Amino acid sequence: MSQVASEPVTAVETPIRLQYRYTAGHATTRFLRALTEGRLLGQRCPRCRKVYVPPRGSCPTCGVPTDEEVPLADRGIVTSFCIVNVPFVGHAIEMPYVAASVLLDGADITFQHLVQEIPAAEVRMGMRIEAVWAPREEWGPSLENIRHFRPTGEPDAAFEAYKEHL
Ligand SMILES: [Zn+2]
């Protein structure tokens, strides 16, 4: 045995590449097609009345199809967030930046997106935000059509208004 073999292994570099195809399904396909037109589309559960975005075609609580489509505004509130300060391989955004749980007006679940055009230290729970869309010629079937969200300047939402959506 060499001396190197007796030293503890602390890191291993392994080049990895994954190539895969994502099959969106009916509900997500309609959501992604709406995004190509600059629209946000949710689906409402016929039983519990919750609105899901992005829709998956069924309610995970009630186990029933969610056929009713609901157009949603491109604005809402920050329910929670984190400030990213630690650089990582391939990061493309200037640090620090804010990754937030965004609850669109009329929706019952959040999705993750960026909050910018405000210092990270000033982002807060309940802050009203609106989408900043990429130029139309860049739109595709992706939530990346929205570059980020920014504050609207409206008064913050009361905690009671979003406490069930954290
Ligand atoms: Zn339901």
Side-chain angles (χ1 to χ4, degrees):
M1 277 200 162
S2 70
Q3 184 164 354
V4 173
S6 65
E7 294 176 5
V9 176
T10 56
V12 176
E13 273 190 36
T14 306
I16 295 177
R17 181 167 190 262
L18 283 177
Q19 188 169 1
Y20 57 90
R21 240 171 216 238
Y22 170 69
T23 303
H26 292 292
T28 305
T29 295
R30 293 186 59 77
F31 171 75
L32 294 172
R33 287 203 173 127
L35 275 172
T36 66
E37 301 164 357
R39 297 182 295 118
L40 291 162
L41 200 58
Q43 286 187 343
R44 187 189 319 274
C45 173
R47 200 168 289 171
C48 69
R49 309 302 293 163
K50 283 186 176 171
V51 173
Y52 294 97
V53 63
R56 300 292 183 225
S58 64
C59 176
T61 303
C62 306
V64 297
T66 51
D67 296 325
E68 181 188 351
E69 293 188 334
V70 182
L72 294 166
D74 63 353
R75 54 177 47 212
I77 59 175
V78 172
T79 61
S80 65
F81 63 95
C82 75
I83 300 174
V84 180
N85 288 297
V86 181
F88 53 90
V89 175
H91 74 89
I93 307 166
E94 189 179 330
M95 298 207 184
Y97 68 88
V98 174
S101 291
V102 175
L103 181 67
L104 295 177
D105 292 346
D108 289 290
I109 60 168
T110 61
F111 60 86
Q112 294 289 309
H113 217 297
L114 301 170
V115 174
Q116 296 186 330
E117 300 189 36
I118 179 174
E122 293 178 23
V123 175
R124 53 204 182 270
M125 295 170 72
M127 190 173 75
R128 296 280 308 161
I129 50 173
E130 63 186 359
V132 176
W133 292 79
R136 190 179 189 111
E137 59 273 16
E138 295 177 17
W139 288 357
S142 168
L143 259 180
E144 290 182 3
N145 294 357
I146 297 175
R147 285 218 165 123
H148 57 267
F149 284 79
R150 69 181 171 203
T152 65
E154 299 166 287
D156 290 358
F159 181 70
E160 293 296 315
Y162 61 88
K163 70 178 183 182
E164 303 297 327
H165 306 284
L166 297 176

